[in-house]
Amino acid sequence: MQRGQITEALRAPSFAEAERRLADVDADAVERDAMGLGARIEDLTERAKLLYSDVLLAKQKLEAVGGDDAVARVEAKRRIIDHRRQLFRPDDPGRPRQGNPDRRIT
């Protein structure tokens, strides 16, 4: 590596400053940090693979039921119908009277 590259890589104003910074570096600490980061990268890579696998499995399951939001639409319609049935049950004692919607039958 040339002096200019070293100076630039260390973002030092001069090569002398770059040399001073390098002299102050604790090589053992840098090596420990590098090993720790390497292990973290391996863990995150494995986690990314697992998450990608989960996404693929979810897509396969979605495609198995039609590949779109058909199931969700059917479920939403069912909930709306159930809700309307509850609202319009004539035998519901808590249902407001027709003449005064704020007054409840007790």
Side-chain angles (χ1 to χ4, degrees):
M1 196 176 238
Q2 294 182 357
R3 288 179 173 217
Q5 291 173 319
I6 293 171
T7 303
E8 186 179 316
L10 294 175
R11 297 184 184 132
S14 67
F15 183 72
E17 174 63 20
E19 281 183 311
R20 189 193 63 73
R21 289 181 187 177
L22 289 172
D24 292 342
V25 169
D26 179 357
D28 291 334
V30 170
E31 189 175 341
R32 282 190 305 273
D33 288 347
M35 288 174 49
L37 291 172
R40 178 116 171 95
I41 288 171
E42 287 178 24
D43 291 344
L44 291 173
T45 300
E46 186 61 30
R47 176 88 172 121
K49 288 177 185 177
L50 290 172
L51 291 173
Y52 182 71
S53 174
D54 290 348
V55 167
L56 290 179
L57 181 61
K59 284 182 179 180
Q60 289 173 353
K61 287 182 178 182
L62 184 60
E63 289 171 2
V65 294
D68 60 11
D69 63 347
V71 173
R73 283 185 279 128
V74 168
E75 180 63 20
K77 284 181 184 179
R78 184 195 62 77
R79 287 183 187 161
I80 290 170
I81 290 169
D82 288 348
H83 182 70
R84 287 182 180 165
R85 284 184 181 149
Q86 291 296 320
L87 287 176
F88 297 109
R89 275 185 32 207
D91 60 333
D92 184 1
R95 185 169 173 240
R97 292 184 184 178
Q98 287 184 340
N100 185 353
D102 293 328
R103 187 170 171 195
R104 299 207 177 261
I105 300 172
T106 57

